[in-house]
């Protein structure tokens, strides 16, 4: 029910979030959802009591600062103090006409995951002269078995670029990192030093 003293307002379900990448290729993401129940009392009038429903924040490796309103240590519950009184004493949040999820943001901040990342690599493509050749590598496993005999296992694999169908313009497309047409398969083992070094 809408509060009689706040006839012009309504309860709100707010979903907020943002994902972005900086100029160095480092990304961060935040996602929150809160129910803001319309309340009123004689001290502050109409306000929204936030009930945090879901939250998550993965900050950039370069920055642990959140752009949205939050506090470092939000209470687990408000059984000992009214929500509105705690907000007025501990924060500068606008619970009368705000549009954020500051309590959910605070829980996201407290439970943040510190992922480490170096941003985008300095390269972004394969060499045009080698894109028609498969990239191969091999593995040799040796184990000392019964009577000191060696048990040896050899395996080799390769990755190659192959479109599922030809291009509409009929041109040949070299393998590149912007298309998801890379395949992998086992291949015959070879004693070639180039193969053992993982080179094509």
């Amino acid at each position: 029910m809408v509060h009689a003293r706040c006839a012009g307002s309504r309860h709100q379900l707010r979903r907020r979030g943002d994902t972005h990448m900086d100029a160095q290729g480092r990304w961060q993401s935040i996602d929150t959802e809160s129910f803001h129940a319309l309340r009123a009392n004689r001290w502050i009038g109409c306000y929204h009591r936030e009930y945090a429903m879901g939250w998550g924040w993965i900050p950039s490796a370069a920055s642990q600062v959140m752009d949205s309103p939050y506090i470092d240590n939000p209470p687990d519950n408000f059984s000992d103090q009214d929500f509105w009184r705690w907000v007025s004493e501990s924060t500068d949040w606008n619970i009368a006409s705000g549009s954020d999820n500051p309590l959910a943001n605070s829980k996201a901040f407290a439970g943040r995951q510190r992922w480490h990342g170096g941003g985008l690599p300095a390269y972004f493509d394969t060499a045009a002269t080698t894109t028609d050749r498969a990239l191969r590598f091999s593995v040799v496993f040796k184990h000392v078995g019964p009577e000191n005999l060696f048990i040896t296992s050899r395996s080799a694999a390769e990755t190659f670029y192959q479109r599922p169908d030809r291009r509409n313009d009929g041109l040949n497309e070299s393998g590149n990192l912007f298309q998801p047409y890379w395949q992998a398969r086992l291949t015959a083992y070879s004693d070639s030093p180039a193969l053992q070094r993982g080179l094509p």
Side-chain angles (χ1 to χ4, degrees), residues 137-140 153-157 186-192 195-196:
F137 74 96
S138 64
V139 176
V140 177
S153 176
R154 296 180 176 92
S155 180
L186 293 175
T187 188
Y189 176 82
S190 169
D191 289 322
S192 164
L195 177 59
Q196 292 175 7

Side-chain angles (χ1 to χ4, degrees), residues 3-22:
H3 201 286
R5 296 176 58 187
C6 313
S9 298
R10 297 291 184 272
H11 305 302
Q12 297 178 7
L13 180 63
R14 298 180 193 163
R15 175 82 182 270
R16 299 290 183 264
D18 181 43
T19 299
H20 68 272
M21 183 183 300
D22 66 17

Side-chain angles (χ1 to χ4, degrees), residues 71-100:
I71 64 164
D72 291 346
N73 297 305
D76 292 329
N77 60 66
F78 294 93
S79 58
D80 297 330
Q81 187 177 28
D82 292 327
F83 174 79
W84 69 268
R85 193 182 306 275
W86 172 80
V87 168
S88 64
E89 293 175 357
S90 306
T91 77
D92 59 355
W93 301 346
N94 182 350
I95 58 174
S97 60
S99 61
D100 293 307

Side-chain angles (χ1 to χ4, degrees), residues 148-180:
N148 291 327
L149 296 176
F150 279 98
I151 300 172
T152 303
S153 176
R154 296 180 176 92
S155 180
E158 65 183 9
T159 182
F160 60 98
Y161 185 83
Q162 184 177 50
R163 290 182 59 91
D165 48 85
R166 293 190 57 81
R167 290 170 51 124
N168 292 335
D169 58 13
L171 297 176
N172 184 38
E173 182 173 282
S174 298
N176 66 81
L177 302 181
F178 294 103
Q179 297 282 19

